[in-house]
Amino acid sequence: MSSESALTKFNTPGTVKLEGERGSYTVSIPLPDRWLVKGATLRLAYTNSTALLKKRSRIMVHVNGSPVAQAALLPESPEGIMTVQLPARLLKTGYNNLSFLVSQNFSDSGCVPASLPEVWTSLNLFESSLELSYELRDVPLSLNSISSFLFDSRMYTENQVHLIVENLSTENTKLASLAASGVALRFDYRPVHFSLGRDLQQGVDNIIIGSSAFLQSVLDRVKVPMPSGNMGILHLPSYRENDLKEKQTFYDAQHGLLYLTGQNPEKILQAAEAFSLLSLPLQSKASADIEAVAVPEITRYSGKQRVAPGKKYRFRELGFPTTSFQGFNPGNRGFSFSMPTSLLLMENRSLALSFNLSYASNMREDSSLKILLNGRFVSSIPVGDVMGGRYQGYKIDLPLFYVKPGLNTLEFHAVLTPLHTGDCEMLQTDHLALTVFDNSIMSVPDVPHWAELPNLEFLMDDGFPVARYPDFRETVLLLTDKTNETATAAVNLIALLSQKNGVPPFRLTISDTVPADADKELLVVGARESLPEKIINASQLSPAIQFPVNGRLAGSKEENNWLDRQKERFLATLEPKQSFPPDRAGITTGYATSPRTVLLTEFESPFKAMRSIVLFTGNSGKDLVGGVNALWDHALRSKIKGDRVLIDFGQTEPTLVWDKTGAPYYSGNISSMNWLANLVNSYPKAFFAIMLAVLLLTAFILLLFLKRWRHKRFSNDTKPTENDSNAD
Amino acid sequence: MNSNKIPLPLLLLFAILCASVFWMGGTAYLSPEKQMIFAWLIVGFLIVGQRLFSFNASLLRLILMVLTLFLGVRYCVFRFTQTLSYTSFIEFFFVVLLFVTELYALTIQLLGMFVMANPIDRPLQPIDLDDPNLPTVDVLIPTYNETEQMVAITAGAATLMNYPKEKLNIYILDDGGTVQKRTDPDPQKAAAAKQRHETLKVLAEFLEVEYRTREKNISAKAGNINQALYGDDDDQPRPNGELVLILDCDHVPTRDLLENTVSHFQKDEKLFLVQTPHFFINPDPIERNLGTFKNIPGENEVFFGAVHLGLDFWNTSYFCGSAAVLKRRYLDEAGGVLGETITEDAETALFLHGKGYNSVYVNRPMVCGLSPETFDDFIVQRNRWAQGMIQIMLLKNPLTMKGLSVVQKICYCNLTIYWFFGLARCMFFIAPFLYIFFGLQIYQASLFQCLAYPIPYVAASMILTNYVFGSVRHPFFSELYEMAQSLYNIPAFFSVLLRPRAPKFKVTPKDKSLTADFLSPIAYPFYFLLVLSVAMYPVALVRLLMNPLAWNGVVICLVWGSFNFLLLMLCLGIVWERKQLRKKHRIPLEEAVTVKQKSAGGEEQIHAHTADISEEGIGLVLPPSVVLQPGERIAIDAEDSTGKKYTLAAEVLRTSQRENEMYVGCQFIYDDELTFLYLTSYIYGDSQRWADFLQKRRANKVSLGQGLVEVLSLGLKGTYHHFKGLSKLAVPGLKKQYMTGGVWNRLRSVFQARP
């Protein structure tokens, strides 16, 4: 088997510029246990400066520290491509450092000033690639191989898993969703495509979920004896017709067959939950009897990298160990955290960082620790005391409007400069050091849950609103038809959302009819024809919805209104406008998807205010499967915005268009009268008008009361005049 | 619309519905953008509404109040739900302190709205002076250390009041000539007291009024009055009239005081009090030092020109110590003027309101009094009021007092807790410093949120205040008066809080003559604040440079601090006491008179008008062609608003030519004792004159923008005069020519000398 991947697939930028006398850049190449690498070919594209001295400028490739190739950087031929056969023996399971080093000179003296702009080489990682040829190793028949071998986040190629259920009942779909989520979570952030069927599928890993009788029936078809336990692993049996006729059982040892079974539905659910949840690293047996499963308490803030409002986190809890930055250009280190998208990121609240750090002596006064939030500089800490120093609780407040809903990355970049930096002087940089301790603290302010919806970006960030609770306890998955394709699409969608929020859908409810309990979020999956009328009418498929046409009135320019400009002035940031200004053309028409396209929309539930419906629909179940497979692509997902997304997967590369046309509504818990907050924010003009009228009426009623009082008090008196001498 | 035709239950139902929607709308969360639009829409409506609803002033006032209150509620909810978060103990302490201060301010505003919901101006109801059933009236003039001349004028003016003489008894109650005073161990003091005693006795005899004094000075003014009413330490008959008019010694009554007040007692059997406003002839120190007396309404006009009208509507007009007529029978029920607190007047009124009796306020200035002359005297007076009202709150607690109606409880509650303003004002002053100097984020709101919540609310409050009080209080003057008092108010506040019965009555010194400019001895705290305010700007700049992320907070605090700085500049102007050479205050007055000048051909009559008037003399404006020499005697024919004619003999002191007119300063000629009464009648007898004076000042209502310019200008001028004066004190040889004008003149001469 072989795979060729652009180097950008390994979490690298498109281009990397190496400057100065020496420079290097390292790409981390993951290799899973499952792959037995036979060979690897690197194709490295680069551009070097024409000012370099040919005989003293080199580019080298190292694998895990061993040099494997080098080439001269030619000034007369600045655009180079280096093709290197990487020795398979140097590539190990795990993460491999593929390093590109340059030594760059432009004069015979060997003296290159550090800041000379002509001395550079640019690595074009977009155009560079790594081709691996490998074989799949045999699957070890032990339960601990499920997470360390079968479903491994280091497998960066297309991953596919086949789920086998007895039928498409809601119970089985729930079990399939649990199992799929368990797999997706093990793959961490890698895409994995699930298919659903009643029979084994060759060439991919399979998971059978169902009763013992169903497991027996599936295995009987391939002449495999019934295994023990209610969770286990086998090699994938072959079911080629010829093999079966010869009554011989063949196994595909390179793929696994997992089974999650039990004597009764509870036991099957137990097995599925155990599978979705547990890694079983110490379980070397091929099967196990699951006696009981204790699912941990799931809160709104459980899950992948999610932080909770009003809490303090040590950096180590956020995945940042005590880290030393050493040398001249020690690079960025940091951590990611997910700010629940349902939170109201209030302008007057701050994310408070309290740093514990120490830094070395003999650094120049312009040394500092830069703090970057989502790649943007936000603050810095001076570390320029020549005697060195230590900070205990150095506080930095980052206004919450710097933080984006969903995943954020906080990075630290130590800019350390030695005291002596003269040209062609011996430059000692080994003493440059700064350590950020893992007991530094990030305090998340206490802010309420309140989000303006619809917003599919939130859905793609952390599953909100359908994964408001990460175990989907407030969500009903509504399957509007009972085809295999619809169920497959739904299972993929749930697995995808689970992978985003980090928790399997333990408490997801699946239904094939509109649920009686309307106070739930609805995830609706089904072909266009099968959708309930009430849902269609509430959605952006309703013919009453106005469609903005992608074009402006001729000659008109987009303008921010006065309020936007003031907000931009005062907040320094302005979210891109997602609504269509009135000078855009619009049409009102019905809406229908074409083949090989799917529509993902979000809108307020017609059954309960402040609840959402996320609708995933297409012309047919086949389109739904194609659409959900396209959604597994991170690059495509990252483009999703607005409240309506049309995904076209009929082309070589799937594409999407989005817009925002639905009426806004709100979700959350901001006051004792959330319904009112939703109403007034959704219909502000009506609110303004009503309130003004009520206030005027209040004044009038007060006047009537005062007149009554006046009449009572002065009935026997000469009537005093109302003192209006103060009025204009 | 006749409100009585609408069934009360229906009205209540609507009220409950409106209140519910008001509350829901006030507490509903709005995104900052929408809130900003909404809040400024309301502010816009407040401006436009003043024209739209100008046809009904009562309705308009209520509309402005309701809209402002709505913004206030929204702001308060925002502060409570979105800005109070714990960060550190010290920070949170101030966060809560500031929030409590704001809640106090909102409460005061709400209570103020209630009081001012429907101020009423009663028409004058003169009595029939020939009515044989008119009640007998005792006029009590308590005096302590005021000059004999002042007593003479007040008592003399009292004898001139339009009321049947047989039903009017006037008593000078002299606490400065008591036995205790006359036997003072200090012979000088004893001699002075004896002399005063004898002089006032002679005066009383001349005026045919009663003179009373007592053994000991106990319980200050209340004790003096009660001794006169109920004492038994001498054999003199006690006042036993049906009504009692109490006049402070410096409160000279006009002739119609009883005429316009007694009728109310005839109409309402349960009436215990008719209060009238206190009109002051002289500027208070703030008015004098800032030079605002002529054109800007005085400090007490808010109370007597607006608040008391509101209190009257709610039957809570209360006794202000003077210029008030009380029913003796009800006063007896209280045991006389109560003296548990040092605001005996309000305490007595509270007691009698609690008994179910009524009060009335007649909005006609019918006494002419004196304000304190110096800033420290002013502070002494205000601290007494503050301590007294807080005593009432602590010792009498109107909220729990039996007999008071709910509305009276609310009104008295407003009157008492208002005096906490010193604490609030200080908190508002130091709040921006806490952030600028110490980095304490005690106001956790972004600039955008400030523009959406507090600023429109403050703007609305200012619009409302300017509408309700604009004619009696120019914009930002309330803040100025409070700021000027607050620093000195706090020690007095805490002392009464800790020992509610400890405060003693301190007589406010009046009628002082200030011979030179000087720095008020209590001015020093303002220098400390000045240093902080000036230092605020560079520190803020440094904070901004060090932490650009903090610009939001820095801008908010700078704007806030700059407003405080403006008030501080005004305070600096106030504590630089300007000289007051004139012994008697001249009242600006423009009335037609005829000047009779003796000439060779007989007597020439010249039509002129007055410029000002005092007990000592009169300023006249004549045509420029008239020739008058200093020392020349003239006669002035004048007429007051009642048609009473006067011929006044005067001597020309000085003349000065002005644009198209000549100003002549004259001194009255006192031929005999009766001239004194004649002049008193002319100068102090006509209440219309005081009403016109107030009306003229109140006509100068300004907009908020004009008000800001006005205080800015006054602040700059005041600060300039302050430091100019200080520099003169510091460098005695520094002459005027070295100050700005002189410097410019010197420079100009240099420029002019160039070829």
Side-chain angles (χ1 to χ4, degrees), chain A residues 64-92:
Chain A
N64 291 327
S66 301
V68 293
Q70 60 176 307
L73 295 170
L74 306 174
E76 65 274 19
S77 173
E79 297 204 356
I81 291 178
M82 204 177 165
T83 303
V84 183
Q85 297 295 327
L86 305 179
R89 62 183 166 76
L90 291 177
L91 296 169
K92 296 178 174 58

Side-chain angles (χ1 to χ4, degrees), chain A residues 121-177:
Chain A
T121 298
S122 177
L123 306 178
N124 307 328
L125 300 183
F126 263 132
E127 296 168 19
S128 304
S129 63
L130 179 68
E131 185 180 356
L132 283 180
S133 59
Y134 61 91
E135 289 177 358
L136 292 179
R137 288 194 172 101
D138 289 353
V139 176
L141 294 181
S142 62
L143 288 176
N144 61 14
S145 67
I146 292 173
S147 56
S148 63
F149 188 90
L150 274 184
F151 310 126
D152 184 352
S153 63
R154 290 170 296 190
M155 289 163 64
Y156 57 84
T157 53
E158 289 280 305
N159 299 297
Q160 195 172 352
V161 174
H162 183 63
L163 305 168
I164 302 158
V165 289
E166 188 173 4
N167 57 43
L168 297 177
S169 68
T170 55
E171 292 79 12
N172 282 335
T173 312
K174 164 84 182 279
L175 292 170
S177 300

